[in-house]
Amino acid sequence: MEYEQEQGILYGDALSQRKGARKISDIPDEVVNLLQKGQLQTVNLTEWLAVDHIVLLQTVLNELGMQQQESEPILQRLNESNEKKTMKIIPAIAAEWLNLMALKSEEESSRIYDTLSTHLSDSVRCWAAYIIGLGQGVSLEQKLISIRPFAADSHFGVREIAWMALRESISKDLKKSIAILIAWVSDEDANIRRFAIESTRPQGVWAKHITKLKENPDLGRSLLEIVKSDPAKYVQDSVGNWLNDVSKTNPDWVLQICDEWSVTSDTIETKRIVIRAKRSISKN
């Protein structure tokens, strides 16, 4: 059997190229063990949701050489919170890392963040992305610069967490965010283009709604126009979902946009977006 080496961890081709189980109970013990040790990336949503982040955190704290008196209070607080939902435990862990890093020297804090942000485990990189989002006293511009590597990450989970981590910052300063993200929707990387759309979705998934965009979707139109015929289905889906969000509160606006695009952008890509955009309207 051929083996691939990554960050000093050896694992077989059959394991690294697995498709992933459909049910958490069907995930092989070997895979679960490696995921909890941070020695393997998840390959689908089932595995991603199955990771026990507190167990993984204990492993990473040990990797970084944290003392028992530093690690134990963190783990105790998280265990006592009894939070099991992935989308809540990730920011909770990120907040704990921020608190710990604040007590360290700048050099040590950088070492910790660098380790988390480049870790083999996609779950650990998710923590690092949320560290950016939760950072206090950091400008919106700097947060967006810092989040770019996570927005462009090769792993689907990290990319999702990237936009969720900055969702609140973007919502608070929507006009400035859109002005900055205009450049992102023209980026050659489809992941970066998709981040710009997904992070500003009026309703989004697993995220708070952006009321301003629900009430006045024209605020985001400048972003949508640039990607109305994007070649990447990943981006097309995001644009279609953005418009579908609005269709639930402002269907006439969505129909108008779709009608305009059908005339001014008569492409297969735009047609696909339009169909996705109107799917909720079609059901009514």
Side-chain angles (χ1 to χ4, degrees), residues 122-155:
D122 55 279
S123 297
V124 176
R125 298 200 303 279
C126 285
W127 305 341
Y130 244 106
I131 286 174
I132 294 170
L134 295 176
Q136 298 296 311
V138 183
S139 69
L140 174 65
E141 292 89 343
Q142 186 55 54
K143 283 188 176 185
L144 283 167
I145 289 170
S146 299
I147 208 69
R148 276 186 71 101
F150 302 97
D153 197 275
S154 61
H155 193 276

Side-chain angles (χ1 to χ4, degrees), residues 61-73:
L61 285 165
N62 290 336
E63 281 180 9
L64 283 162
M66 296 299 112
Q67 298 298 313
Q68 188 174 359
Q69 61 265 31
E70 296 174 311
S71 300
E72 279 192 356

Side-chain angles (χ1 to χ4, degrees), residues 35-39 53-66 71 75 93 97 100 111-112 115-117 119-121 123-125 127:
L35 290 175
Q36 307 295 41
K37 289 182 177 179
Q39 296 175 0
H53 283 258
I54 297 179
V55 172
L56 177 59
L57 175 61
Q58 187 163 15
T59 298
V60 177
L61 285 165
N62 290 336
E63 281 180 9
L64 283 162
M66 296 299 112
S71 300
L75 296 169
I93 289 175
W97 279 115
L100 179 61
R111 181 184 78 90
I112 292 172
T115 298
L116 300 179
S117 64
H119 204 280
L120 172 61
S121 168
S123 297
V124 176
R125 298 200 303 279
W127 305 341

